[in-house]
Amino acid sequence: MGKHVVGNHIRKLRFNRDEMTQQQLADRVGVTRQTIVALEKGNYSPSLELAFRIAHAFRLPLEEVFYYGEEQGGDKG
Amino acid sequence: MTYQEKKSIVSLIAAVFIFGAFCLYMYPLYPAGEAESGEALRYWGSFVLYLAVFSIVAHLAIGIAFNIVFRITTGEKEPSFADELDRLIDLKAFRNSFFIFILGFLLAMGSLVIDRPLQVMFMILIGSGFVSEVTGSLTRLYHYRRGV
């Protein structure tokens, strides 16, 4: 059984939202750009609070931004 | 490379440079004669105290210079706050750094128990302080590059 990780679609969602920059998203959710980079690369699983803040920034339910599955690295879409 | 990664590398180089420069400055000042004389104890006491002061001042100066160079070269401002990722990495760096220092402290006390000269205890103590600082910077660099 592979290792399970928290993945996300942040990069794809940013692109679909008028190509929102990492810095713009970081400013909206109150973190540094470095943290958005780490999330997109799959190097960091956010706290529940940050996950909700990111989902709220995209006006989507949590499960449409984050998923729990087998490790494959970050979402590249 | 991000601001935090560059800062960790600068901090690592600064730690090595500061410690190296201070040791080179203090080495010729070691008093001749009995290794456990009052003069030698005064030397080790001043070594620790001056190293702490010199290290703080030099780190501050290097940190300010780094921020200025970072702004000029990248046109970006340094992050003005620490978010949850920064705090988590800081905690891991502090844990590793503290572990190394405590290990060094115990080794230093152990050297007294097995009747090693007093200067060995001071050398282990000072060396563990340096290694713990380097460990902290390396931990930060590792986690900022590889994730948490």
Side-chain angles (χ1 to χ4, degrees):
Chain A
M1 197 172 104
K3 189 184 171 193
H4 283 72
V5 294
V6 177
N8 65 75
H9 304 292
I10 294 175
R11 191 169 173 173
K12 186 166 67 189
L13 290 167
R14 276 196 308 106
F15 185 77
N16 292 340
R17 292 289 159 106
D18 300 326
E19 298 185 22
M20 180 196 289
T21 64
Q22 291 172 329
Q23 186 64 60
Q24 284 170 335
L25 178 60
D27 291 341
R28 278 195 198 184
V29 298
V31 296
T32 62
R33 190 174 70 83
Q34 167 71 25
T35 300
I36 301 297
V37 174
L39 284 169
E40 288 187 1
K41 283 162 76 178
N43 286 343
Y44 176 54
S45 298
S47 68
L48 192 57
E49 186 188 348
L50 177 58
F52 271 110
R53 285 209 302 266
I54 292 170
H56 184 73
F58 289 121
R59 297 182 194 288
L60 287 170
L62 194 64
E63 61 271 24
E64 286 188 32
V65 181
F66 294 94
Y67 60 87
Y68 184 63
E70 298 247 334
E71 188 171 31
Q72 289 170 340
D75 184 299
K76 306 293 180 202
Chain B
M1 202 183 281
T2 62
Y3 170 82
Q4 287 91 342
E5 286 168 7
K6 286 177 186 167
K7 196 176 177 189
S8 301
I9 292 172
V10 168
S11 168
L12 186 63
I13 294 168
V16 174
F17 174 76
I18 291 166
F19 186 75
F22 190 77
C23 286
L24 282 177
Y25 170 74
M26 289 299 281
Y27 182 69
L29 304 179
Y30 188 75
E34 190 65 30
E36 298 192 10
S37 65
E39 200 60 34
L41 288 177
R42 197 172 300 116
Y43 170 83
W44 285 114
S46 62
F47 192 108
V48 174
L49 276 181
Y50 293 151
L51 177 61
V53 174
F54 179 67
S55 180
I56 289 168
V57 173
H59 270 294
L60 278 175
I62 291 170
I64 291 167
F66 167 71
N67 283 344
I68 292 169
V69 171
F70 180 79
R71 273 195 203 191
I72 292 169
T73 53
T74 64
E76 278 181 53
K77 278 182 77 176
E78 68 277 7
S80 56
F81 63 97
D83 65 13
E84 61 178 44
L85 178 64
D86 298 318
R87 285 197 292 270
L88 188 59
I89 290 176
D90 274 345
L91 277 174
K92 285 177 185 285
F94 181 74
R95 179 199 60 191
N96 292 354
S97 179
F98 186 70
F99 177 77
I100 294 290
F101 183 73
I102 289 299
L103 198 67
F105 181 80
L106 292 176
L107 276 175
M109 293 306 115
S111 76
L112 291 180
V113 173
I114 58 170
D115 284 332
R116 304 307 301 161
L118 210 53
Q119 64 182 20
V120 173
M121 185 273 283
F122 277 109
M123 281 181 200
I124 295 173
L125 212 53
I126 292 165
S128 70
F130 168 68
V131 176
S132 80
E133 193 180 347
V134 168
T135 304
S137 295
L138 283 175
T139 306
R140 274 192 193 85
L141 183 61
Y142 175 82
H143 285 302
Y144 274 121
R145 288 192 78 85
R146 293 290 174 88
V148 180

